Amino acid sequence: MQTIFFKNILFSIYEVGLFLLKIKALYNSVLNRNSFINPLRVRKILVVKFYGIGNMVLFTPVLKRLRKKMPGVKIVLYTNSKALEVIKGTNYYDDAILLENTQKLKKFRAEYYRFINKIRQENFDMIFFSFPLEANWLIPILGITGSKYLIGYNTSDHKAYFTHYLEWDKQKHEVVLNFELLGLLISGPLTESLDLRLNKKEKNDAEKYMKTLNSSFEKIVVIHPGGSSAMPERRWPASNYIELIRKILDAYKCLVICIGSDDESELLKMLKNPFEENVRILENSFSLREIAAIIGKCNLFIGNDSGPMHLAAAVKTPVIALFGITNSQKSKPWGNHKKVIVINKGLACSPCYTFNDKVVCKEYSCIKSITILEVYRAVMLILK
């Protein structure tokens, strides 16, 4: 009983302390609202970057500019391991804080207090929220950790914590939005491209794999039929991919490599089984960055709106991207438009999904109505 009593007293003291920190943070946000930010006085930045593989790929131009213009600044990423793998081993960041279990932080007060203390001890000069909606619940938590500047988008009830923010434009591409937000700290036009900064080993491993393939093939096409296991409605039907592969193999002296995650193994087998050696499944022994290097050695990538689609664009492999429920204007492959073909039926009801929305449609006509012939014509344009 005594232990419980003292624990409750301790928690009450913490709650009073958090309340005072909240008052101080809100005062700081008003005091520094839209004030001039001197980059020379920013020495340590916490960059909040959650969500998926593709989002981190689309964020590389910002990290590239940030590192180039502020080489002496310590950049710490607050992210998850899946997103971090995209830039692992690069000089885009100095350290990373990983959050894998959001429920643990939300539900357990002890974890909550421990996290706030940890961030406060880091003495960040700035916290940079790079993508709205993905972690709005973190804004009031990070807002009381003592940073002078908190930058993000005006999409939340917690915007009062921000010292600087921009309006969120639903029609602008994510790369453009990321850069506009960075413009609050570093001005200048968007000149940086997607860049994974693949290292020599990753490139050599890709080269070794390519040498194991039959050299008689004139073209190599990568197909990713999956994407986001939580959102199967993004996927073009497997039967369509099978017929598309058949048409490609009939027309070209071609090898098709199917890629996907562990939970997409059955889907990959469905695509391979009707064919002989002309279709291969890329084994999962390769890292995400090695897969990107392998895609970079191929002639074409075909897939749904997914992380691998953005990896392909980043390594400058031509991409045919199939969009349905998601907004192609916001998240289409970024890069040379001559190497990217986006197929989107443009139905009146689509796009019907934005982050954290529930998709209520059960038909998914937007993705299903894309025909095999439409995609094959795009293949001919690129492989001609």
Side-chain angles (χ1 to χ4, degrees):
M1 288 292 290
Q2 262 190 335
T3 303
I4 295 173
F5 173 77
F6 284 117
K7 189 179 286 186
N8 288 336
I9 291 292
L10 186 62
F11 279 177
S12 297
I13 293 171
Y14 264 112
E15 290 296 332
V16 171
L18 289 177
F19 176 76
L20 294 175
L21 287 175
K22 185 179 290 188
I23 297 299
K24 184 179 178 181
L26 293 172
Y27 173 73
N28 174 70
S29 70
V30 173
L31 191 66
N32 293 294
R33 180 69 46 81
N34 298 323
S35 62
F36 171 72
I37 302 175
N38 184 350
L40 297 177
R41 304 196 67 174
V42 177
R43 296 156 299 174
K44 195 173 183 182
I45 301 176
L46 180 67
V47 177
V48 183
K49 187 66 208 168
F50 286 102
Y51 211 28
I53 293 167
N55 300 98
M56 185 62 86
V57 174
L58 296 177
F59 195 58
T60 57
V62 163
L63 292 173
K64 192 175 181 180
R65 171 70 65 86
L66 193 57
R67 180 58 82 201
K68 181 180 178 181
K69 295 293 185 180
M70 301 179 70
V73 170
K74 183 174 182 179
I75 301 170
V76 179
L77 283 175
Y78 187 34
T79 185
N80 55 293
S81 57
K82 182 172 70 171
L84 185 64
E85 192 178 351
V86 173
I87 56 170
K88 193 173 183 180
T90 69
N91 71 339
Y92 284 147
Y93 65 103
D94 299 292
D95 201 358
I97 300 170
L98 298 181
L99 177 63
E100 307 293 2
N101 187 346
T102 58
Q103 293 305 314
K104 190 176 180 182
L105 186 58
K106 287 179 180 180
K107 289 183 178 180
F108 298 103
R109 289 310 265 182
E111 289 292 328
Y112 181 86
Y113 299 142
R114 197 175 293 119
F115 172 75
I116 290 173
N117 286 334
K118 179 181 179 180
I119 300 298
R120 285 186 65 81
Q121 288 169 13
E122 292 283 348
N123 293 315
F124 291 107
D125 299 300
M126 175 181 291
I127 298 179
F128 188 97
F129 270 86
S130 65
F131 192 68
L133 308 177
E134 61 186 4
N136 273 341
W137 59 275
L138 272 171
I139 294 171
I141 300 176
L142 292 173
I144 63 174
T145 55
S147 295
K148 184 175 181 179
Y149 303 112
L150 193 69
I151 295 177
Y153 285 101
N154 178 15
T155 60
S156 167
D157 294 336
H158 307 308
K159 70 178 182 182
Y161 289 95
F162 288 128
T163 57
H164 300 74
Y165 59 80
L166 291 179
E167 297 299 321
W168 173 247
D169 189 328
K170 293 182 178 180
Q171 296 308 313
K172 284 185 179 178
H173 195 279
E174 192 173 322
V175 171
V176 176
L177 287 169
N178 285 333
F179 237 80
E180 287 181 351
L181 194 64
L182 182 64
L184 295 175
L185 176 61
I186 305 169
S187 61
L190 171 52
T191 55
E192 279 77 8
S193 59
L194 304 182
D195 190 352
L196 301 180
R197 295 196 173 173
L198 297 172
N199 60 44
K200 190 174 181 180
K201 182 183 181 303
E202 290 159 345
K203 292 176 181 178
N204 287 343
D205 287 344
E207 191 64 49
K208 287 177 186 176
Y209 173 76
M210 299 306 286
K211 287 179 179 178
T212 67
L213 305 177
N214 190 330
S215 60
S216 65
F217 295 114
E218 295 175 357
K219 304 287 184 182
I220 300 178
V221 175
V222 178
I223 290 182
H224 178 230
S228 183
S229 57
M231 292 180 62
E233 55 270 17
R234 283 191 187 191
R235 301 175 180 179
W236 200 43
S239 57
N240 287 6
Y241 275 113
I242 292 170
E243 290 309 308
L244 176 65
I245 292 171
R246 198 182 309 279
K247 290 179 78 67
I248 292 172
L249 295 181
D250 287 344
Y252 299 93
K253 198 173 183 181
C254 181
L255 173 69
V256 173
I257 301 175
C258 297
I259 65 170
S261 59
D262 289 336
D263 60 0
E264 293 166 350
S265 59
E266 291 304 313
L267 176 60
L268 299 181
K269 289 176 185 176
M270 284 177 63
L271 268 62
K272 175 178 170 46
N273 286 343
F275 307 99
E276 299 296 330
E277 286 300 307
N278 287 13
V279 178
R280 290 195 182 187
I281 295 174
L282 185 64
E283 57 268 27
N284 285 332
S285 59
F286 293 101
S287 71
L288 187 69
R289 290 174 59 81
E290 288 169 340
I291 291 171
I294 290 170
I295 294 172
K297 298 286 183 181
C298 299
N299 302 99
L300 173 63
F301 174 95
I302 307 170
N304 313 311
D305 175 20
S306 66
M309 173 193 76
H310 293 294
L311 290 176
V315 295
K316 297 179 172 54
T317 294
V319 177
I320 297 173
L322 313 182
F323 276 80
I325 64 169
T326 51
N327 188 342
S328 60
Q329 286 298 109
K330 182 166 290 298
S331 55
K332 64 185 177 182
W334 183 260
N336 186 342
H337 69 279
K338 292 180 180 178
K339 287 191 172 185
V340 173
I341 297 177
V342 174
I343 302 179
N344 181 353
K345 298 302 284 188
L347 301 185
C349 58
S350 68
C352 63
Y353 173 81
T354 55
F355 191 84
N356 278 343
D357 283 349
K358 289 183 178 179
V359 179
V360 295
C361 174
K362 300 300 180 185
E363 300 298 325
Y364 313 132
S365 299
C366 52
I367 192 75
K368 289 180 179 178
S369 60
I370 295 174
T371 67
I372 298 164
L373 185 58
E374 281 178 287
V375 182
Y376 180 64
R377 282 174 176 163
V379 171
M380 289 192 293
L381 281 174
I382 291 174
L383 294 185
K384 63 183 178 181

